[in-house]
Amino acid sequence: MPDGALPVLDVRDLKTVFQTRGGEVHAVNDVSFSLKPGELLGVVGESGSGKSVTMMSLLGLLPSPPADIRSGTVQFDGKDLLNVTPEQLRSVRGGKIGFVFQDPMTSLNPVYQVGFQIMEPLRKHMGMNKRQAAARAQELLELVGIPDAKQRLDDYPHQFSGGMRQRVMIAIALACDPQVLIADEPTTALDVTIQAQILELMKDLRDKLGMAVIWITHDLGVIAGIADRVMVMYGGQVVEHAPVQALFGDPQHPYTRALLKTIPSIQGERAARLTIIEGQPPIMAGAPTSCPFRDRCDVAFDRCAVENPPRYDLGDGHDAACFYNARTGGPRDA
Amino acid sequence: MLDSGKKPLVSVKDLKMHFPIHAGLLRRRVGEVKAVDGVSFDVFDGETLGLVGESGCGKSTCGRAVLRLYDITSGSIEIDNREIGTTPQTDLREMRPTMQMVFQDPQASLNPRMTVEDIIKEPLDEHTTGTDAEKREKVGELMDAVGLNRKFAKRYPHAFSGGQRQRIGIARALALNPKFIVCDEPIAALDVSIQAQVVNLLEDLQEQFGLTYLFISHDLSMVRHIATRVAVMYLGKIVELAPREGLYAAPLHPYTKALLSAVPEPDPSLARTTERIILKGDVPSPSNPPEGCNFCTRCPAVMDICKRVEPEYREVQPGRFTACHLYNGTNDTAG
């Protein structure tokens, strides 16, 4: 890492394949990224781009079969998470790596009080007794901004609103002071005003606790407001990766450029017509032998059909997987 | 109305849709959810009225009630100069061709056991006379209009992607040459790159067939794109209704201001400088709304009067309606 700090999480060449009746689906293809302490990495992509599967693969959350992690390494805390016993992995999950899921309605157990659900990881991972865990659970609920924390510990999930339930989920994920928090579309199921509350909360917590965060979303607006670096995924691959300003100010991959153009804004000029990306996302059967975005790309040329572009380093922490050089307006050298 | 040149195609007055809550051993009526509680608006011929609000504010119920998919509690709905607020469902059937709906979930609103052709043909079978060949030809035309390949007519919905399924739903809504279409979150279930395709299609069809839309959405940036005028709902009531440009440039109601400021801005330099209004708390329950103004529990500009008196929904500037004490001329604290 040029910035000195060692990454807390380092993923190299991760490849996940699903065996289905219709054949293999290559959901994640050679995905590499790293995460520095205290950093917020945004991961954007449409549904099916492999962003959630990537994160679930590295935590061993995918059932196998059908999932098969073909290759890759995930360095975390001096270990390769793809190469540890299930017990070791279990102690990492919910412990040093916290996870917040998309749907706060279904990821809490409806028959247990939320206090119990927050205390569970504390007792499992931190070896706390009931009283210590209860005190810590109350602290956590206060931390995520739930009023009357002490009383609310005895409430059941249905007694909380959507935004409050997502706060409870965040409290559970934060319970064991994680070094890394993975948030998979944590605000997608929420209303915009509640989403704004959760985004503020996450920014606060990150500054306060100094953990690294991976924020998965399909909403570029959310990313713009919260991320330090952004990784754009398409067809199971990382197509562009850059610091947030550079990604929005100087996008290099045709997919990123098209994506930025399709979203209308509530500020600035109102376009008479929305720009669209023609066609459909790719079906990822078989290992990729060409650029996955080729069919929808406006600058594709012959080479894109026969070779899958690697990620070209463009300097300043910016890279893009494209044979077309947007800066010179011509093909890249071989 | 200010715009006397245009006539309203749809005119809704004081529409109320309350759902009873039954509880206890005898299932007695113990209260009601005031999903839509006194909503009035006009939709002019050929325009798109955007209806925005957060989940649970009653926007979908409002859209469905306007088409009389519910038996409404009270109020009047006039579509194409016919009052349908109290028309019995059997008589409404004849009027259905003029008013259609596009649903949110393209997966759930298409019968998985019917081919695309049968799905689009069903309204034709129901409401028109003609030979099967004529109807099939019409189905082909509709598929062309929404950008589906005619060759796929014999396929089932599962063979199509989300965006294509939404096109099937739109083709079905268009089958009877309607004048008015309620689009209930038609793009919410679609990916960003596909959303733009469907929105452009809706705009093209509007121009081609002279359609009038009530476009229900929670996506404020998309509504800014498609709507001519925008109505903002909160807890069963319209808090503000204004032409698009005015509403987005200078919102009047504190809720509209907060809602607009909460929309994430896809530009990091703007996103980090924009002052956000973060609303505290959650939306109150529509079965037990607060006294006075519905928004008084979360409003950053709340005054004493807001907690006692419900603000009147009125035209405060030409063409701009809002229900807020801040714009009440008689209230001296508005200063």
Side-chain angles (χ1 to χ4, degrees):
Chain A
M1 280 291 118
D3 291 292
L6 277 173
V8 274
L9 181 72
D10 191 49
V11 178
R12 291 286 137 222
D13 304 323
L14 186 69
K15 198 186 259 286
T16 305
V17 175
F18 288 97
Q19 307 281 358
T20 67
R21 271 191 302 175
E24 288 184 344
V25 174
H26 289 246
V28 177
N29 283 311
D30 293 325
V31 167
S32 303
F33 65 94
S34 65
L35 189 65
K36 281 173 271 178
E39 183 184 45
L40 204 152
L41 174 71
V43 181
V44 250
E46 297 176 67
S47 41
S49 62
K51 50 197 195 305
S52 295
V53 176
T54 303
M55 300 309 153
M56 290 172 85
S57 307
L58 61 92
L59 286 181
L61 285 172
L62 293 172
S64 176
D68 175 16
I69 296 170
R70 286 277 163 87
S71 68
T73 57
V74 178
Q75 287 296 328
F76 175 76
D77 204 18
K79 287 189 288 269
D80 179 5
L81 293 188
L82 297 181
N83 220 344
V84 294
T85 61
E87 285 72 33
Q88 281 175 310
L89 199 55
R90 201 173 299 149
S91 75
V92 170
R93 284 197 299 248
K96 285 182 180 156
I97 298 183
F99 212 113
V100 180
F101 295 95
Q102 172 168 0
D103 192 349
M105 314 299 158
T106 54
S107 26
L108 287 168
N109 191 330
V111 302
Y112 289 109
Q113 295 163 338
V114 300
F116 175 85
Q117 300 187 51
I118 302 172
M119 282 152 65
E120 200 179 4
L122 291 168
R123 301 187 63 186
K124 286 256 153 62
H125 294 301
M126 312 276 273
M128 288 187 182
N129 64 32
K130 211 168 176 180
R131 186 176 305 162
Q132 288 168 323
R136 173 80 179 133
Q138 187 187 332
E139 256 176 55
L140 285 163
L141 280 194
E142 278 162 8
L143 184 71
V144 296
I146 295 185
D148 305 323
K150 196 165 182 180
Q151 284 76 45
R152 308 264 5 215
L153 284 176
D154 297 329
D155 284 349
Y156 289 89
H158 73 266
Q159 289 165 297
F160 289 80
S161 65
M164 284 293 165
R165 263 181 265 190
Q166 197 55 287
R167 284 167 193 259
V168 172
M169 287 302 299
I170 294 171
I172 295 175
L174 295 176
C176 304
D177 296 322
Q179 286 169 281
V180 176
L181 180 71
I182 299 176
D184 189 356
E185 304 250 10
T187 57
T188 306
L190 306 175
D191 282 316
V192 277
T193 60
I194 308 295
Q195 168 170 286
Q197 291 176 358
I198 299 283
L199 291 178
E200 285 301 306
L201 171 72
M202 285 307 301
K203 279 193 260 184
D204 265 14
L205 289 176
R206 202 241 327 212
D207 295 344
K208 221 183 273 178
L209 309 174
M211 64 192 168
V213 181
I214 299 176
W215 191 283
I216 305 174
T217 182
H218 65 272
D219 189 333
L220 285 161
V222 169
I223 287 290
I226 193 168
D228 300 316
R229 273 193 304 141
V230 188
M231 189 162 95
V232 182
M233 291 190 69
Y234 186 84
Q237 312 188 14
V238 178
V239 294
E240 184 160 5
H241 164 248
V244 68
Q245 298 284 356
L247 188 95
F248 285 87
D250 182 26
Q252 292 296 313
H253 197 280
Y255 175 63
T256 318
R257 283 205 305 275
L259 204 56
L260 285 170
K261 272 193 226 145
T262 60
I263 38 172
S265 165
I266 63 157
Q267 295 183 23
E269 278 292 294
R270 178 181 163 275
R273 199 157 170 82
L274 293 175
T275 323
I276 62 170
I277 309 178
E278 289 291 349
Q280 302 288 331
I283 296 154
M284 296 172 290
T289 52
S290 62
C291 174
F293 189 60
R294 180 185 35 131
D295 295 339
R296 306 172 82 185
C297 184
D298 52 1
V299 292
F301 51 99
D302 301 347
R303 194 177 172 193
C304 308
V306 292
E307 214 181 320
N308 190 10
R311 286 164 70 180
Y312 288 99
D313 190 351
L314 308 170
D316 300 322
H318 196 152
D319 62 68
C322 184
F323 289 129
Y324 178 80
N325 188 335
R327 287 178 184 157
T328 62
R332 254 179 244 290
D333 309 328
Chain B
M1 263 301 112
L2 167 87
D3 235 337
S4 49
K6 280 190 272 178
K7 62 176 175 55
L9 178 74
V10 179
S11 181
V12 176
K13 289 202 178 59
D14 207 26
L15 176 68
K16 286 187 182 162
M17 183 67 234
H18 296 178
F19 295 100
I21 307 170
H22 297 284
L25 188 65
L26 299 170
R27 312 306 300 163
R28 260 199 294 256
R29 185 172 174 141
V30 293
E32 50 203 9
V33 176
K34 294 174 181 163
V36 177
D37 197 22
V39 159
S40 306
F41 60 87
D42 291 331
V43 190
F44 296 109
D45 208 358
E47 81 164 350
T48 301
L49 179 69
L51 187 58
V52 297
E54 298 180 89
S55 51
C57 73
K59 55 188 190 304
S60 286
T61 308
C62 181
R64 287 164 163 263
V66 167
L67 292 189
R68 283 294 314 279
L69 299 185
Y70 297 124
D71 283 326
I72 60 173
T73 309
S74 69
S76 116
I77 304 162
E78 214 174 279
I79 295 184
D80 206 15
N81 299 320
R82 279 183 70 176
E83 170 64 43
I84 62 158
T86 50
T87 313
Q89 290 292 350
T90 41
D91 298 349
L92 273 173
R93 207 175 169 76
E94 301 160 29
M95 300 195 53
R96 291 277 170 221
T98 42
M99 43 186 195
Q100 289 288 321
M101 185 147 183
V102 175
F103 297 92
Q104 168 166 6
D105 188 347
Q107 172 95 54
S109 55
L110 302 176
N111 188 336
R113 289 161 188 270
M114 286 166 78
T115 61
V116 170
E117 187 177 71
D118 291 339
I119 289 171
I120 304 175
K121 196 155 73 70
E122 198 177 22
L124 297 170
D125 291 337
E126 205 62 47
H127 290 281
T128 61
T129 52
T131 65
D132 204 48
E134 280 166 12
K135 287 180 195 161
R136 273 177 213 283
E137 179 49 32
K138 174 80 180 166
V139 169
E141 284 167 22
L142 287 164
M143 289 183 76
D144 291 344
V146 298
L148 285 169
N149 195 328
R150 281 189 194 214
K151 277 190 283 186
F152 300 156
K154 299 287 183 207
R155 296 195 184 180
Y156 290 88
H158 72 84
F160 294 86
S161 68
Q164 288 172 322
R165 281 189 207 134
Q166 198 54 284
R167 290 172 192 264
I168 301 171
I170 294 170
R172 175 177 59 184
L174 287 174
L176 297 167
N177 303 321
K179 288 185 175 164
F180 177 55
I181 298 183
V182 173
C183 305
D184 186 6
E185 303 254 18
I187 52 165
L190 307 175
D191 267 320
V192 197
S193 70
I194 309 296
Q195 284 185 354
Q197 295 179 0
V198 173
V199 165
N200 280 353
L201 171 68
L202 286 170
E203 286 182 329
D204 289 346
L205 295 171
Q206 179 165 43
E207 203 165 299
Q208 199 178 338
F209 299 106
L211 301 169
T212 304
Y213 292 137
L214 177 64
F215 190 88
I216 302 169
S217 178
H218 66 274
D219 185 338
L220 287 145
S221 39
M222 208 48 105
V223 167
R224 179 184 182 222
H225 181 80
I226 196 169
T228 329
R229 294 185 307 142
V230 182
V232 182
M233 271 186 90
Y234 184 79
L235 209 60
K237 290 189 159 81
I238 291 182
V239 295
E240 182 164 359
L241 191 155
R244 174 189 67 222
E245 297 304 334
L247 186 104
Y248 283 90
L252 295 177
H253 197 281
Y255 177 65
T256 317
K257 288 180 188 168
L259 198 61
L260 287 175
S261 89
V263 177
E265 178 57 46
D267 177 345
S269 43
L270 266 177
R272 276 155 220 242
T273 52
T274 323
E275 194 61 41
R276 282 182 186 284
I277 307 166
I278 305 283
L279 288 180
K280 300 229 163 44
D282 290 306
V283 186
S285 160
S287 60
N288 185 22
E291 202 169 316
C293 173
N294 272 349
F295 188 53
C296 74
T297 54
R298 298 171 84 196
C299 183
V302 66
M303 300 176 290
D304 281 344
I305 186 173
C306 306
K307 293 174 186 157
R308 290 181 280 111
V309 185
E310 192 188 320
E312 189 197 345
Y313 175 72
R314 50 193 275 277
E315 191 166 6
V316 290
Q317 286 170 21
R320 299 193 63 165
F321 298 79
T322 188
C324 181
H325 288 301
L326 286 174
Y327 302 95
N328 208 333
T330 55
N331 172 30
D332 47 14
T333 49

